[in-house]
Amino acid sequence: FWDVARFGDYADTAYTKSRTKFWYENRSARVYPYQDFDAGRPVRKTALHDSLEAAGGVFAEYDGWEDPVYFARNDDERTPGYSFSRTNWFDVVGEECRAVRDAVGLFEFSTFAKYAIGGSAAESWLNAIFANRVPTTIGKMTLMPMLSPQGRVIGDFTLTRLGDDDFLLVGGGAMQRIHMRWFLDHVGDRDVIINNISDDFAGLHIAGPNARAVLNKITTADVSNSAQPFLSGQRVELADGVASIALRVSFTGELGFELYFPNNQALTVYEAIREAGNEFGLQPIGSHALMSLRLEKSFPSWGFDLTADYYPVECGLDRFVAMDKGEFTGRDALAALGDPREKIATFEIDADNADAYTGEPIYCNGVLAGYVSSGGFGYRLEKSLALGYLSPEYHDPANEFEIEIIGERRRAKMTRSSPYDPTGQRAKA
């Protein structure tokens, strides 16, 4: 957390002075879950900011960007309330979640990190620096953990092969300067071209049962399940011939497509999607809803459930590690690794008017057994949910658990699988 690369060029003198002054003056103030602060903002707005604001967008800062967290339905919701209990945006986030589960939602993903990777040695380099196997078929996508030499997770990405020596790598936006430094430090004299195109390409994500129907209205490309199955990508034209990349992947657990295109054509694509989505119940969706939806699927999130503190076997990413593919960074450390120190788990909590957030203690039969890494409310399941880490001896759904929320221990049940659509059929539809 002390790496200066966590800040980008947006952190100029004015921003730094404003933030420093604010935190000095408020150094003893209480900070609530999800709370954001106005000091130094705004510094960066995406090409779609004004359109999203006009749609009711309420924003928080993410890596300097103004990122929509939910879409207010009235004036009272335009100013977010903060509390350790549920807040004034609880209901509107629920409405957004149900729109994704039942119809289709539209997310802005412009802040994601995007890297175009090419060169004759691109495939061999990718296989050396990432833990999973590089896809060999054009159009195939793979989930790719990146490990330190000590075998811990230092990044998680999707990698799509778009051509013989043409790859698109997508990861966490706030980590891009740290990751780009790592890439360049480990490329050596190989014939590999690494272009960080994050600021040049905007992104939108459509997710829900009607996502394909909306996409069919704005492209002539074949995006059927047979032509573009789950975990695949292709170059397509959207709207008025906008050259784009469509990736079949979803962090919500529903049928979904990530769409990336040049920034200067973002508004054209956005307006086309909004118009095409009218008949299918499309709604703009913020990041608070995304976090709720992924909790129902037990999907870990970077910065909460995934950090450089964990080995793949501890955070559930071991299924994306190909130990049999040959040498890669971190492989020797994993091969020598003993039993995991802790293991991730999903919990359903008998909560009242407050949900776990992060850091809450988890008890098993009255004994401290672990801690919450992220939590929130699952609106389709109508349950309070959390992901957390347990010492291995307690990692058993048959055990009785409690999670302490605002000083009160609440009964919790460890689930045996993802609480929502555990076989993943909806995302593969």
Side-chain angles (χ1 to χ4, degrees):
F1 289 106
W2 295 103
D3 193 326
V4 295
R6 71 190 188 279
F7 293 113
D9 293 340
Y10 68 88
D12 57 14
T13 300
Y15 176 88
T16 303
K17 285 184 176 180
S18 179
R19 299 293 278 195
T20 302
K21 179 177 183 293
F22 174 84
W23 282 113
Y24 182 78
E25 293 173 344
N26 295 275
R27 60 192 180 278
S28 299
R30 180 176 295 164
V31 177
Y32 295 98
Y34 306 100
Q35 188 170 359
D36 208 70
F37 304 93
D38 292 335
R41 295 173 51 199
V43 285
R44 295 205 288 179
K45 295 180 179 180
T46 71
L48 297 174
H49 176 275
D50 291 351
S51 295
L52 296 172
E53 187 174 44
V58 176
F59 299 84
E61 183 189 359
Y62 175 78
D63 196 34
W65 294 106
E66 294 297 305
D67 183 52
V69 292
Y70 67 89
F71 288 82
R73 301 166 298 185
N74 53 56
D75 288 342
D76 290 340
E77 292 173 347
R78 284 191 173 274
T79 301
Y82 297 111
S83 170
F84 292 111
S85 300
R86 293 169 185 165
T87 66
N88 66 327
W89 40 263
F90 181 82
D91 289 339
V92 68
V93 171
E95 183 177 290
E96 292 177 13
C97 289
R98 288 185 286 272
V100 175
R101 293 283 186 235
D102 296 330
V104 58
L106 175 63
F107 304 79
E108 185 182 21
F109 275 12
S110 299
T111 61
F112 280 25
K114 303 165 282 285
Y115 312 89
I117 299 177
S120 61
E123 181 175 351
S124 62
W125 176 74
L126 288 165
N127 265 318
I129 202 170
F130 287 102
N132 206 350
R133 190 174 284 104
V134 172
T136 57
T137 304
I138 293 175
K140 178 63 178 173
M141 176 195 297
T142 305
L143 301 178
M144 286 293 223
M146 186 167 69
L147 309 182
S148 70
Q150 294 74 36
R152 298 190 185 187
V153 178
I154 57 174
D156 69 316
F157 303 80
T158 61
L159 177 69
T160 307
R161 188 174 205 135
L162 297 172
D164 291 337
D165 298 314
D166 181 12
F167 298 89
L168 176 66
L169 185 69
V170 179
M175 292 291 291
Q176 64 184 274
R177 290 167 295 279
I178 295 171
H179 288 155
M180 192 67 183
R181 182 181 62 199
W182 184 265
F183 297 155
L184 296 177
D185 285 348
H186 291 80
V187 72
D189 59 359
R190 298 177 178 91
D191 177 27
V192 179
I193 302 167
I194 308 168
N195 288 323
N196 185 347
I197 59 173
S198 302
D199 291 350
D200 300 321
F201 278 71
L204 288 169
H205 176 56
I206 50 175
N210 295 338
R212 184 180 289 113
V214 173
L215 188 54
N216 274 326
K217 298 272 286 188
I218 64 167
T219 185
T220 59
D222 188 350
V223 293
S224 64
N225 204 29
S226 57
Q228 188 170 1
F230 184 61
L231 292 182
S232 65
Q234 62 173 322
R235 297 187 185 278
V236 301
E237 288 189 356
L238 301 176
D240 297 325
V242 178
S244 309
I245 298 172
L247 305 181
R248 176 79 189 280
V249 66
S250 178
F251 200 41
T252 67
E254 302 295 336
L255 167 67
F257 296 85
E258 289 180 14
L259 308 170
Y260 297 106
F261 35 82
N263 254 330
N264 60 5
Q265 295 175 299
L267 192 57
T268 298
V269 176
Y270 171 79
E271 290 177 345
I273 291 175
R274 291 299 304 267
E275 182 176 355
N278 284 335
E279 65 180 285
F280 300 107
L282 181 141
Q283 286 187 219
I285 312 293
S287 59
H288 285 341
L290 183 64
M291 290 297 99
S292 170
L293 294 162
R294 64 93 186 173
L295 276 172
E296 292 188 320
K297 286 294 297 173
S298 300
F299 289 159
S301 179
W302 185 264
F304 286 97
D305 321 289
L306 301 176
T307 74
D309 294 326
Y310 304 114
Y311 295 102
V313 69
E314 295 172 339
C315 60
L317 294 186
D318 49 318
R319 65 188 185 277
F320 304 119
V321 175
M323 292 293 288
D324 61 347
K325 74 168 183 172
E327 293 300 318
F328 60 86
T329 301
R331 185 188 184 282
D332 291 345
L334 291 187
L337 189 65
D339 294 333
R341 303 161 302 170
E342 49 194 352
K343 295 186 69 176
I344 199 167
T346 302
F347 297 89
E348 298 175 352
I349 309 170
D350 291 338
D352 185 11
N353 191 40
D355 304 295
Y357 176 58
T358 185
E360 291 85 355
I362 302 173
Y363 297 91
C364 179
N365 299 321
V367 178
L368 182 64
Y371 56 91
V372 169
S373 50
S374 67
F377 191 79
Y379 293 87
R380 175 43 45 92
L381 299 174
E382 296 187 343
K383 293 179 179 179
S384 187
L385 303 171
L387 296 183
Y389 283 87
L390 294 172
S391 297
E393 64 267 30
Y394 302 111
H395 197 272
D396 185 344
N399 285 330
E400 294 185 3
F401 295 96
E402 293 177 309
I403 294 178
E404 185 175 307
I405 301 175
I406 322 181
E408 182 179 351
R409 294 189 189 184
R410 312 291 302 192
R411 291 177 61 86
K413 179 180 73 174
M414 176 182 165
T415 66
R416 294 186 179 275
S417 59
S418 167
Y420 178 77
D421 187 28
T423 60
Q425 293 308 302
R426 293 180 69 88
K428 299 172 185 176

